[in-house]
Amino acid sequence: MCSLPVIMILIIIVCGILLWFGIDGLRKNRVKDDGGEFICLEKSPVNYWVTVSIYIGLGIGGIIFCFFL
């Protein structure tokens, strides 16, 4: 079993990675999907925006969760 500070650090690291994927997707207008394929803004805008918002939302939500834990 891990102690609470170790769990919080791991959650913050994972959330930072999710935020990085989301922000990188906004900069490059393409984001990586679960299957390893890239979703381009021009080809599938709805799927692109859903994936970017999931990455950013989970990243911010996890960091906020750690502050209230």
Side-chain angles (χ1 to χ4, degrees), residues 31 33 39-40 43-54:
V31 67
D33 197 13
I39 302 170
C40 295
K43 290 184 179 179
S44 179
V46 173
N47 198 9
Y48 168 81
W49 284 112
V50 167
T51 306
V52 167
S53 62
I54 286 173

Side-chain angles (χ1 to χ4, degrees), residues 2-19:
C2 293
S3 63
L4 187 60
V6 173
I7 293 173
M8 288 175 56
I9 290 171
L10 289 174
I11 291 174
I12 289 174
I13 290 171
V14 169
C15 292
I17 293 170
L18 287 173
L19 279 173

